[in-house]
Amino acid sequence: MAERNATLETTIETLITQKKYPTLRDILVTMNPADIAAMFSDLEERTLPLLFRLLPKDIAAETFAELEPDLQELLIRGFSDSELKEVVDELYLDDAVDLVEEMPANVVKRILRQADAETRKLINDILKYPEDSAGSIMTTEFIDLRPTMTVQDALKNIRRNGSDSETINTCYVTDEGKHLLGIVSIRAILLSEEDAVLMDIMEDNVISVSTLTDQEEATAMISRYNFTVMPVVDGENRLVGIITVDDAMDVMEDEATEDIEIMGGVTPVDTPYLRTSVFQFWRARIPWLMLLMIGATFTGMILDHFENALVRFTVLTMFIPMLMDTGGNSGSQCSVTVIRALSLGDIEFSDLLAVIWKEIRVAVLCGLSLAAVSFAKILLVDRLLLGNNDITILVALTVCVTMAVVVLAAKLIGCTLPMLADKLGLDPAVMSSPFITTIVDALSLLVYFAIASALLGT
Amino acid sequence: MAERNATLETTIETLITQKKYPTLRDILVTMNPADIAAMFSDLEERTLPLLFRLLPKDIAAETFAELEPDLQELLIRGFSDSELKEVVDELYLDDAVDLVEEMPANVVKRILRQADAETRKLINDILKYPEDSAGSIMTTEFIDLRPTMTVQDALKNIRRNGSDSETINTCYVTDEGKHLLGIVSIRAILLSEEDAVLMDIMEDNVISVSTLTDQEEATAMISRYNFTVMPVVDGENRLVGIITVDDAMDVMEDEATEDIEIMGGVTPVDTPYLRTSVFQFWRARIPWLMLLMIGATFTGMILDHFENALVRFTVLTMFIPMLMDTGGNSGSQCSVTVIRALSLGDIEFSDLLAVIWKEIRVAVLCGLSLAAVSFAKILLVDRLLLGNNDITILVALTVCVTMAVVVLAAKLIGCTLPMLADKLGLDPAVMSSPFITTIVDALSLLVYFAIASALLGT
């Protein structure tokens, strides 16, 4: 929640003009790095380098990792080489990798020049993993123990290496070849006798992901197994990194945002709303609008084709929006439910028949309810109350039968298309409201005119 | 990911018929509780009590906590009192509370009768917090230390109480009155000298939530601050519980699902797709369909009202779907983006003017692009290629001006309504595609006929 405290910002800006640096520093050190970063994005950009230099080294690095890429770049451009080295040295490896991925080439060169040889090698290794893979979001800073160590040895090792590791809550037991043998929590270590051997207290049914596992799947597994950290192994089961739960939460949030945006017919934009430019929004939205606009012209052509029927039975026109919208909404409801169930892993392609069978029954219930209500409404309100005498029982029947058929067709399309997309390796979210609506619109009209022709002889 | 291994299930069912219980037990203990629970929901229900009894006590409780409520109830109904007591004693308090919340009254009575007096009191205390509050999802099992303790004292305390606490990774420092003074990570404890005093090594800028904080906000804070656990305090800053990150991830996932479902015009259903009944789906979908259907009849009435214009200029009819759909899609895009930004805390009501100003500019860009493309398309394809001579330059102009105006109006409605809903304390997700589309549809027609009347004199 980006609750922004306007008073605090004003205070800070006043203190900057008054050059009260010790006071500013005192204020900043009471704050959490995430809050400092949120405040930085609301302050005037020219004040940031000054404020950033006031931060103690460790808070500075954490704040830096939380900043938006454009502010990171701004700061880096103002850093001397030694300032840059200080920040890069303090960053956790996964944050350093994120930074290198976001910055333009010339800034990346400067960053890598300041990193020590070991870090540079590690960053380059992680950069080699495909985007959105577990390898690309892992960190290589973890506690690595041997199976023959006693609890006392393990504690010594943790005390020696713990400050460089991203977490000590879960430690890993590996052999000399780095093969992952087991995991042991800090709790198990602390609650065991000092001379117990790790081999005996470790959990040896280890759940791990591969460097090439999709980050979304790795994240879902962390959530499913209630882990706070997930080991990442290479093709030979050698432990190469860990994914921590805080990064998993970020991935989960980003993936949900991406799904929601795609379902709303928008190409995902990964900057916060207020920092996204008008042009970026235009680029994210216009291809979909164009595509769907062209799709809708087919609906228009169908409408045009049945013009004669409409001229003879103009009363049919007034029910077109209701039929098209209800069809579109029925299809959207179904596609949204199915897309989410697919992304949570509740269903998969092999469940297609079960899903279709369920949706058919839901569609029959919904279609009958809607048809009954609209039949009554058309005769009571439109005919009797509003006195539209063009509305006959047959017209009402045409509308209601169409309604039931359209709802059924819409639900079938709405559940089938996302599952087919998933099976074909496409993002099922693409098959949501906007597309389903466009398809169902055209279909609704075809059904409407076919039924009208059968019942009314148009 | 509910990857279900059909072979494993078949093996297990075969072993059950062959009564090979030791083999079954050997298989089950190699599995993670989350996987056992996923498998249970795919097995025949009558085999579950038998399999469950084969599980060792601790795995049994964890598996039980992971099961869907209907299977939990099934198992409980088969339990003897002493079996029930064993499971309830092993459950973490937050899981016990979840259980009590989900079960029917007669089962709850049995559960509470088996719980010891202390647990019963704690469960009842947590049940008093409002649904969806931080208090309702917290657990009261944490490590609680005094500021004057040395590191050595703290480690002794942790070794004594660690097995009952949900996590030892973060410990809390409180005074005698239970007021929260600071937090100290197990890492800080292990990396400090044995005679260091907690007061000196604890972090005393503690971020906490209140028992009444909304669970969604508490979860967002855990994600924002990269916590693995968040302290929950009462009105007097007394520490009463903690929320662990695994529960926060579940809340995050549920809230995203809820948002997505509401945005798709479905009342959220909290059971997995395949376990949700046809009737539940009907109940979740029909009210929205009815409401939106009635909304769409107004669009129909507008269409009806302009029937005369349509009879004289039938060519106008064919562009109605394109205009309505493009308007609806433009509005949806904008509402989806704004709703997600609100729920991530990227924007709030005070940003309304900034949002409107940004959307106006995006709308002008989108509107002009779409108008230009459709102007060219109407004249080149519809008139020249398809030879529709009813299409004059003025008709094309009418459609394109309408397009630009409708896109602008749709974007304004799409960004304003969710923000207003949020300000009024409603869920902004309600103001998404289905509602926006219904409103924009009616508006599109009004604009279309007004512009047609001005340009064509219909």
Side-chain angles (χ1 to χ4, degrees):
Chain A
M1 304 269 107
E3 290 285 337
R4 295 184 207 99
N5 192 332
T7 328
L8 181 59
E9 282 158 41
T10 331
T11 313
I12 295 224
E13 290 187 333
T14 315
L15 288 171
I16 291 175
T17 40
Q18 297 175 348
K19 304 200 170 149
K20 297 234 163 131
Y21 302 132
T23 317
L24 279 167
R25 191 186 158 98
D26 287 347
I27 295 176
L28 290 172
V29 294
T30 67
M31 292 172 69
N32 182 293
D35 290 328
I36 301 178
M39 187 185 69
F40 272 22
S41 69
D42 291 332
L43 287 173
E44 280 183 57
E45 291 192 349
R46 57 174 180 73
T47 63
L48 300 191
L50 194 154
L51 283 178
F52 190 80
R53 289 194 177 97
L54 290 175
L55 295 172
K57 214 162 64 170
D58 55 330
I59 299 187
E62 279 186 66
T63 303
F64 189 83
E66 296 282 339
L67 285 172
E68 292 296 326
D70 52 344
L71 294 184
Q72 288 178 333
E73 194 181 333
L74 178 108
L75 285 176
I76 291 180
R77 293 197 185 278
F79 283 164
S80 69
D81 281 351
S82 67
E83 280 174 325
L84 180 57
K85 183 170 172 45
E86 242 177 45
V87 170
V88 173
D89 282 351
E90 280 287 323
L91 284 179
Y92 281 118
L93 192 69
D94 50 348
D95 293 328
V97 171
D98 286 348
L99 180 64
V100 167
E101 279 174 334
E102 296 285 354
M103 292 298 112
N106 58 341
V107 177
V108 168
K109 263 193 213 148
R110 262 193 77 200
I111 294 171
L112 290 181
R113 214 162 41 222
Q114 295 313 318
D116 56 50
E118 169 70 4
T119 311
R120 195 159 51 229
K121 186 183 165 307
L122 290 171
I123 291 177
N124 281 322
D125 282 350
I126 292 185
L127 286 176
K128 281 189 206 115
Y129 294 110
E131 207 188 344
D132 295 341
S133 68
S136 74
I137 57 165
M138 71 186 184
T139 183
T140 53
E141 293 148 322
F142 51 82
I143 300 270
D144 190 12
L145 306 169
R146 291 288 102 73
T148 49
M149 283 182 175
T150 62
V151 161
Q152 206 171 6
D153 299 335
L155 281 171
K156 248 184 236 152
N157 185 305
I158 293 169
R159 288 202 173 99
R160 200 168 49 235
N161 301 315
S163 59
D164 290 330
S165 167
E166 186 148 345
T167 180
I168 64 159
N169 301 342
T170 305
C171 304
Y172 296 90
V173 183
T174 58
D175 63 16
E176 291 73 28
K178 288 260 176 197
H179 298 94
L180 181 58
L181 303 176
I183 60 172
V184 56
S185 68
I186 191 72
R187 169 165 20 197
I189 291 175
L190 284 176
L191 301 189
S192 299
E193 297 301 323
E194 291 216 324
D195 55 358
V197 178
L198 293 192
M199 207 176 333
D200 302 325
I201 62 166
M202 73 184 188
E203 171 63 60
D204 50 11
N205 269 305
V206 191
I207 291 172
S208 61
V209 295
S210 130
T211 47
L212 300 177
T213 304
D214 186 83
Q215 62 172 2
E216 195 171 357
E217 197 184 325
T219 305
M221 285 174 72
I222 289 179
S223 167
R224 180 172 185 209
Y225 296 121
N226 298 334
F227 284 178
T228 54
V229 56
M230 172 67 89
V232 183
V233 296
D234 66 10
E236 274 101 55
N237 196 37
R238 282 182 300 234
L239 181 64
V240 288
I242 58 172
I243 300 175
T244 50
V245 68
D246 54 317
D247 293 329
M249 285 185 102
D250 292 344
V251 170
M252 198 180 220
E253 200 170 89
D254 290 347
E255 297 280 353
T257 303
E258 220 178 280
D259 273 6
I260 289 175
E261 291 185 327
I262 294 176
M263 288 163 82
V266 185
T267 308
V269 174
D270 61 2
T271 40
Y273 187 90
L274 294 173
R275 306 191 77 82
T276 306
S277 73
V278 169
F279 180 70
Q280 275 175 296
F281 274 128
W282 176 79
R283 217 175 36 190
R285 295 179 187 179
I286 197 73
W288 300 71
L289 286 177
M290 286 284 177
L291 195 64
L292 295 166
M293 182 177 80
I294 290 164
T297 62
F298 290 101
T299 316
M301 284 162 74
I302 295 171
L303 202 56
D304 191 43
H305 183 74
F306 290 104
E307 218 174 272
N308 292 334
L310 284 178
V311 173
R312 282 181 46 214
F313 280 90
T314 45
V315 67
L316 291 181
T317 311
M318 73 179 284
F319 302 108
I320 291 178
M322 184 182 81
L323 291 170
M324 285 190 358
D325 279 5
T326 305
N329 290 329
S330 302
S332 301
Q333 287 185 326
C334 182
S335 70
V336 156
T337 309
V338 167
I339 290 168
R340 188 62 185 166
L342 281 169
S343 104
L344 293 179
D346 287 346
I347 55 173
E348 50 196 36
F349 189 73
S350 60
D351 297 313
L352 183 62
L353 289 181
V355 170
I356 289 180
W357 173 229
K358 184 158 277 175
E359 291 298 334
I360 287 178
R361 289 174 292 162
V362 177
V364 168
L365 279 183
C366 288
L368 290 180
S369 325
L370 293 167
V373 169
S374 55
F375 190 77
K377 183 252 167 196
I378 291 172
L379 289 182
L380 295 178
V381 179
D382 296 336
R383 186 182 158 87
L384 284 181
L385 200 69
L386 303 177
N388 187 336
N389 290 321
D390 291 341
I391 296 175
T392 60
I393 300 254
L394 268 186
V395 167
L397 209 59
T398 303
V399 173
C400 297
V401 173
T402 305
M403 177 76 82
V405 173
V406 164
V407 169
L408 182 62
K411 294 268 182 215
L412 287 179
I413 292 173
C415 74
T416 314
L417 287 190
M419 294 186 80
L420 284 178
D422 193 44
K423 178 70 180 173
L424 296 176
L426 302 172
D427 187 341
V430 169
M431 292 301 165
S432 80
S433 313
F435 270 92
I436 302 283
T437 304
T438 306
I439 295 170
V440 170
D441 276 358
L443 192 76
S444 308
L445 284 181
L446 289 175
V447 171
Y448 191 31
F449 291 115
I451 292 176
S453 141
L455 291 182
L456 302 173
T458 57
Chain B
M1 302 269 108
E3 289 286 336
R4 292 180 209 101
N5 191 333
T7 330
L8 182 60
E9 281 157 40
T10 330
T11 313
I12 294 221
E13 290 187 334
T14 315
L15 289 169
I16 292 174
T17 41
Q18 297 176 346
K19 304 200 170 145
K20 299 233 161 134
Y21 302 133
T23 316
L24 279 168
R25 192 186 155 98
D26 286 347
I27 295 175
L28 290 172
V29 294
T30 67
M31 291 171 68
N32 181 292
D35 289 327
I36 301 178
M39 187 185 68
F40 272 22
S41 69
D42 291 333
L43 288 172
E44 280 183 55
E45 290 192 349
R46 57 174 180 76
T47 63
L48 300 191
L50 194 154
L51 282 178
F52 190 80
R53 289 193 178 97
L54 290 174
L55 295 172
K57 216 163 62 171
D58 54 330
I59 299 187
E62 280 185 66
T63 303
F64 189 84
E66 295 282 340
L67 285 172
E68 291 296 324
D70 53 345
L71 294 184
Q72 289 178 331
E73 194 180 335
L74 177 108
L75 284 176
I76 292 178
R77 293 198 184 276
F79 283 163
S80 69
D81 281 352
S82 67
E83 281 175 324
L84 180 57
K85 184 171 169 46
E86 243 176 43
V87 170
V88 174
D89 283 352
E90 281 286 324
L91 284 180
Y92 282 117
L93 191 67
D94 49 349
D95 293 328
V97 170
D98 285 348
L99 180 63
V100 167
E101 279 175 334
E102 296 284 354
M103 293 298 113
N106 57 344
V107 176
V108 168
K109 264 192 211 147
R110 264 194 76 200
I111 294 171
L112 290 180
R113 214 161 44 221
Q114 295 313 318
D116 56 47
E118 168 70 3
T119 310
R120 195 158 52 231
K121 189 184 162 304
L122 289 171
I123 291 178
N124 281 322
D125 282 350
I126 292 186
L127 286 176
K128 280 187 207 117
Y129 294 109
E131 206 189 344
D132 296 340
S133 68
S136 74
I137 55 164
M138 70 186 185
T139 183
T140 54
E141 294 149 320
F142 51 82
I143 301 272
D144 191 11
L145 306 168
R146 290 289 100 75
T148 49
M149 282 181 176
T150 60
V151 161
Q152 206 172 8
D153 299 335
L155 280 170
K156 250 187 233 150
N157 186 306
I158 292 168
R159 288 202 172 98
R160 201 167 50 238
N161 300 316
S163 61
D164 290 331
S165 167
E166 186 149 342
T167 180
I168 64 159
N169 301 342
T170 306
C171 304
Y172 297 91
V173 183
T174 58
D175 64 17
E176 292 72 27
K178 288 259 176 198
H179 298 94
L180 181 57
L181 304 177
I183 60 172
V184 55
S185 69
I186 191 72
R187 170 168 13 200
I189 292 176
L190 283 176
L191 300 189
S192 298
E193 297 300 323
E194 291 216 322
D195 54 356
V197 179
L198 293 191
M199 207 179 328
D200 302 325
I201 63 166
M202 73 186 187
E203 170 63 58
D204 49 10
N205 269 306
V206 191
I207 290 172
S208 61
V209 295
S210 131
T211 48
L212 300 177
T213 303
D214 186 81
Q215 62 173 5
E216 196 172 355
E217 197 185 326
T219 304
M221 285 173 71
I222 289 180
S223 167
R224 181 172 184 208
Y225 295 120
N226 298 335
F227 283 0
T228 54
V229 56
M230 172 68 89
V232 183
V233 297
D234 68 8
E236 273 100 58
N237 195 35
R238 281 183 301 235
L239 182 64
V240 289
I242 58 172
I243 300 175
T244 50
V245 68
D246 54 317
D247 294 328
M249 283 187 104
D250 292 344
V251 169
M252 196 180 222
E253 198 169 272
D254 291 349
E255 298 279 354
T257 304
E258 220 177 280
D259 272 7
I260 288 175
E261 292 186 328
I262 295 176
M263 288 164 83
V266 184
T267 308
V269 174
D270 61 3
T271 42
Y273 186 91
L274 296 172
R275 306 190 77 81
T276 307
S277 73
V278 170
F279 180 70
Q280 274 175 292
F281 274 129
W282 175 78
R283 219 175 37 191
R285 296 180 187 178
I286 197 72
W288 298 71
L289 286 177
M290 287 283 178
L291 195 64
L292 295 167
M293 182 176 79
I294 291 164
T297 63
F298 290 101
T299 316
M301 285 162 72
I302 294 171
L303 203 55
D304 192 43
H305 183 73
F306 290 102
E307 219 173 87
N308 292 334
L310 283 178
V311 172
R312 281 182 45 217
F313 280 91
T314 46
V315 67
L316 290 182
T317 312
M318 72 178 286
F319 301 108
I320 291 178
M322 185 182 81
L323 290 171
M324 285 189 0
D325 280 5
T326 305
N329 290 329
S330 302
S332 301
Q333 286 185 326
C334 181
S335 72
V336 156
T337 308
V338 167
I339 290 168
R340 188 62 185 166
L342 281 169
S343 105
L344 294 179
D346 286 346
I347 54 173
E348 49 196 34
F349 189 72
S350 60
D351 298 314
L352 183 62
L353 289 181
V355 171
I356 289 181
W357 172 227
K358 183 159 279 180
E359 291 298 335
I360 287 179
R361 288 174 294 163
V362 177
V364 168
L365 278 183
C366 287
L368 290 182
S369 326
L370 293 167
V373 169
S374 56
F375 190 77
K377 183 251 168 199
I378 291 172
L379 290 181
L380 295 178
V381 178
D382 296 338
R383 185 180 159 89
L384 284 181
L385 200 68
L386 303 176
N388 188 335
N389 290 321
D390 291 344
I391 297 175
T392 60
I393 299 256
L394 267 187
V395 167
L397 207 60
T398 303
V399 174
C400 296
V401 173
T402 305
M403 178 74 83
V405 174
V406 164
V407 169
L408 180 63
K411 294 269 181 215
L412 286 179
I413 292 173
C415 74
T416 315
L417 286 190
M419 295 186 80
L420 284 178
D422 191 46
K423 177 71 180 173
L424 296 174
L426 302 171
D427 186 341
V430 169
M431 292 301 166
S432 79
S433 316
F435 270 92
I436 301 283
T437 303
T438 306
I439 296 170
V440 170
D441 277 357
L443 192 75
S444 310
L445 284 181
L446 289 176
V447 171
Y448 192 29
F449 291 117
I451 291 176
S453 142
L455 292 182
L456 303 171
T458 58

